[in-house]
Amino acid sequence: MQNFSHGMQQALTIWLALLAAAVIAFVVMSFISHRGSGGPSWWTRLRKAIRDPDAAREKLAKAERSAKEIEELRRYCAEVAIADERATAMADRRRNEWEAAQRTQEAAWRAFEESERDVHRLRRANAFRLTEDDPENRRRHLVRIVNAAHDRGEISAADLADALMHRNGWDPKAHPFAQQLMLRKVIRDRKFRAYQEASELERKTAKAADLAMAAKRSLDDEAFDAELRLRKATAVAPEQGAPSFRTATAGS
């Protein structure tokens, strides 16, 4: 029994020596491997994970920063998406205003052309004969035609006052043909001014439509970039599970 006990002790000593040699060899090889790669050894990482509370706190803080950044990106994407929708609506409204201004401009030009043709026809026409060609009849004729034109909306109240007060070229003694020609010229000039105003409005609405479309394109690009940044951030931290801003906006 003594011999057996003595043999077991020797065997245990040999086994422990071999185990210790294997552990030492593993530690040395790991140290050499990590020194060659330039990174910290497994022992250092293990020591930091177990004994260094700062490492654990730093890891937790890094995870919290990542989650906060993702939340900020998600909020920014939603804000950009809302701004993009508003810019799209504004661009559509400005384009509709521009198209309406174009239609008004075209209608004003057609009205001017028609009044210009009336002036040309009167210029080419011969003076018509009157049964009673006296100054009073000519004055009454002037009053009648300018009042009728004002009722139709062809001349303004200021033009009517000029005709009745015999100002700015209106002559109650002129031949009715000359009076009618004068009336058509006033109507033509008024329609040309209306066309000029419509053209100015068309230019302004066209510029506003261009600016609104440029703002929409800029926000489209910004929204696309923001979504890409959010997707990259959530790919690094997939546990956040953040949806794209378009999906989040549609749901809200």
Side-chain angles (χ1 to χ4, degrees):
M1 290 295 293
Q2 291 180 351
N3 292 333
F4 178 76
S5 176
H6 181 69
M8 288 295 294
Q9 290 178 356
Q10 290 180 346
L12 181 60
T13 300
I14 295 172
W15 183 81
L16 290 174
L18 292 175
L19 180 61
V23 171
I24 292 172
F26 178 73
V27 170
V28 171
M29 292 300 295
S30 298
F31 177 77
I32 294 174
S33 175
H34 286 283
R35 283 292 299 274
S37 60
S41 65
W42 66 273
W43 177 254
T44 303
R45 294 197 301 270
L46 180 62
R47 182 177 59 81
K48 285 186 177 181
I50 296 176
R51 298 182 180 179
D52 192 357
D54 293 337
R57 284 194 296 269
E58 178 63 24
K59 184 177 181 180
L60 179 60
K62 185 177 180 181
E64 291 177 352
R65 287 195 300 269
S66 178
K68 185 177 180 180
E69 290 174 358
I70 291 175
E71 185 62 27
E72 289 294 332
L73 275 174
R74 186 183 294 111
R75 186 182 302 110
Y76 178 70
C77 287
E79 292 173 356
V80 172
I82 293 173
D84 190 22
E85 291 177 357
R86 291 176 179 174
T88 300
M90 178 61 71
D92 293 339
R93 182 162 62 250
R94 292 291 184 241
R95 180 172 182 82
N96 292 335
E97 292 174 355
W98 176 40
E99 292 175 350
Q102 282 183 313
R103 291 191 293 269
T104 302
Q105 180 192 30
E106 293 170 357
W109 178 254
R110 289 193 296 269
F112 166 72
E113 286 184 323
E114 183 179 355
S115 63
E116 180 70 11
R117 286 192 293 269
D118 290 341
V119 171
H120 285 308
R121 281 195 295 268
L122 281 174
R123 282 175 175 171
R124 291 193 302 266
N126 295 322
F128 55 88
R129 296 178 181 178
L130 296 176
T131 56
E132 296 180 1
D133 192 7
D134 62 83
E136 183 61 23
N137 284 336
R138 293 184 179 188
R139 187 190 66 79
R140 290 175 182 174
H141 179 264
L142 175 62
V143 172
R144 184 173 62 255
I145 62 174
V146 296
N147 275 290
H150 181 262
D151 292 340
R152 292 192 300 269
E154 293 177 337
I155 63 175
S156 65
D159 294 329
L160 176 62
D162 287 342
L164 297 179
M165 297 298 294
H166 314 148
R167 298 178 304 203
N168 295 329
W170 291 98
D171 185 5
K173 298 178 182 179
H175 193 279
F177 172 78
Q179 294 175 356
Q180 188 70 25
L181 180 60
M182 179 67 182
L183 175 62
R184 290 303 165 186
K185 287 180 179 180
V186 171
I187 294 174
R188 178 201 61 186
D189 294 342
R190 186 165 184 259
K191 289 183 177 180
F192 184 71
R193 288 193 298 270
Y195 166 72
Q196 289 178 317
E197 293 174 358
S199 298
E200 181 63 23
L201 179 61
E202 188 274 337
R203 284 191 293 270
K204 291 181 178 179
T205 54
K207 183 178 180 180
D210 291 339
L211 291 175
M213 183 57 65
K216 176 186 178 303
R217 287 194 295 265
S218 178
L219 281 171
D220 285 342
D221 295 339
E222 182 62 26
F224 181 76
D225 292 339
E227 185 176 5
L228 283 182
R229 293 197 299 270
L230 179 59
R231 288 182 178 180
K232 290 179 180 179
T234 53
V236 174
E239 65 275 6
Q240 298 297 327
S244 67
F245 79 94
R246 298 185 187 275
T247 304
T249 305
S252 60

